[in-house]
Amino acid sequence: MQIAVPAESAAGDTRVAAPPETIKKASLIGVPKETAPGEKRVATVPEVVEKLVKLGFSVAVESSAGDASNFSDETYRAAGAEVVPTAAELWARSDIVFKVRAPSPDEVALMREGGSLIGFIWPAQNPELMQQLAGKKATVLAIDSLPRQLSRAQKMDALTSMAGVSGYRAVIEAANAFGRFFNGQVTAAGKIPPAKVFIAGAGVAGLAAIGTAANLGAIVRANDTRAEVADQVVSLGGEFVKVDYEEEGSGGGGYAKVMSEGFQKAQREMYAKQAREVDIIITTALIPGKPAPKLITADMVKSMKPGSVIVDMAAEQGGNCELTEPGQAVVKHGVTIVGYTDLASRLAKQSSTLYSNNLLRLTEELCKTKDGVIDVNMDDDAIRGLTVIKEGGITWPPPPPKIPAAAPQQAKPAVAAPASKGHGHGSSEPMSAKSLATVFGVGAVLFLLVGLYAPASFLAHFTVFVLACFVGYMVVWNVTPSLHTPLMSVTNAISSIIAIGALIQVAPPLTDGGANRANLLILGMAVVALTLTAINMFGGFAVTRRMLAMFRK
């Protein structure tokens, strides 16, 4: 093996240079300006540039790439990035290109042969783009193809990040087009009813919309083909509207599946009813690799109240409403139909920050050695799912991930656990009627024995103790937990004990002399204690009732 010796050290310097083939050159990550019309996002923000440099990469950003997201060229330079004047120079020099939107044919032509590309590609919808990238012998990682069912892939899940931003923005767009407040109000000028919002689809975008609309004070209803999301809808302040038809709608990977004709008919009837009742409809329904399902028909739009709003978040894939015009907001039959395809881009700074963090986590997985060189490991389920082209060879679609196959085995102990209910006291299930009767029977016998053989003084104190415990239990545990704080629970328990003790002492036996005066003092203290406790308890109920009335819609 030859060892290269520098000419200037050949005369006496014994140092030798490393073999050229063993030297790894750090990759240059290029971030071009997005060319899609109206796209304001940028694939990397200055904060992430600093972290990419620490991983060993060099970063170059096209001039003005972050201007629309309020990231200036100066902030990129300060973070350690090079600012390149033209897109042609950036694409030609970059080993890895970070993008938001899929590249245009002109951008593919600028790409260096054998380079790498990371961004939204949508391989099922863009077969021609796939062939063009394969012709460049590129390695392409489509962030939209991430296996979302893998828990370790969540930090790289840009679809979820962008869907959350889009769901929030959809409600803001609806509020902008709507002619009233979202929350109900009672003013001197009159009473304003709360807006009624129906959200079709309770995925990430739908849940974000539910939470935002509920926080603005609207009455929120939602529906989804996946029954398991009902609890999530309720937890965010919405009401889950169930279709009167039993069919499982989960399609795997966090998506819904195409439902049967019977289900779709029942679903259309439910949507028609909601369209007549609500003020705002937000649709989010998508099925991977297929056009958006038509959920809102023209007749449903006609039945809506004048001034109502529809925000169609699936407009880019054809729309969930028959009258949607992608990219535009139009008024038809008195209803404003918002079909914007750039909802995430309308919050460009927030979207860019989240997206660049997703790409950073992916880069960390690709460069675990932190030497600025990526390793596309096809044995890694997450990386394999993302990789749609490897060195010019199309590898999409990927095989199913291996990890989810083990999930059913973990569910077996959970199935066996209910069999032990009722056989031990460790179960969290409530006691049966027979067990409860047995417990009360044993307790009654014990109280009878105490009453027959215990001294009178002990019996009086024991009665106060038992009644106080019973009343305290009823006061605390018969109230909805969401209305109780631990402090309120303790306060009510103490108040119940004081009330019972005071009632016992209100009518003590009267005797002559000093004992009589002592009993009168005890009587006065008992009356005062009973009065204050009553004010505390009944006043608390009155205040709680008024607080609850404030939130009634």
Side-chain angles (χ1 to χ4, degrees), residues 49-127:
V49 167
E50 297 177 358
K51 297 175 182 178
L52 291 172
V53 171
K54 290 180 181 179
L55 287 175
F57 296 96
S58 301
V59 182
V61 180
E62 183 182 348
S63 180
S64 75
D67 285 358
S69 301
N70 295 316
F71 298 111
S72 66
D73 290 349
E74 288 71 22
T75 58
Y76 281 107
R77 288 193 183 96
E82 175 189 358
V83 177
V84 177
T86 65
E89 180 182 348
L90 182 88
W91 281 91
R93 290 178 50 195
S94 300
D95 301 300
I96 307 166
V97 175
F98 283 1
K99 269 189 64 60
V100 180
R101 296 271 186 169
S104 65
D106 292 338
E107 289 177 313
V108 176
L110 295 174
M111 186 176 183
R112 63 182 294 181
E113 189 166 326
S116 298
L117 174 66
I118 302 176
F120 285 103
I121 304 297
W122 305 107
Q125 291 89 342
N126 296 307

Side-chain angles (χ1 to χ4, degrees), residues 150 378-381 399-407:
L150 301 178
M378 300 296 274
D379 293 328
D380 184 314
D381 279 344
K402 303 171 186 175
I403 295 178

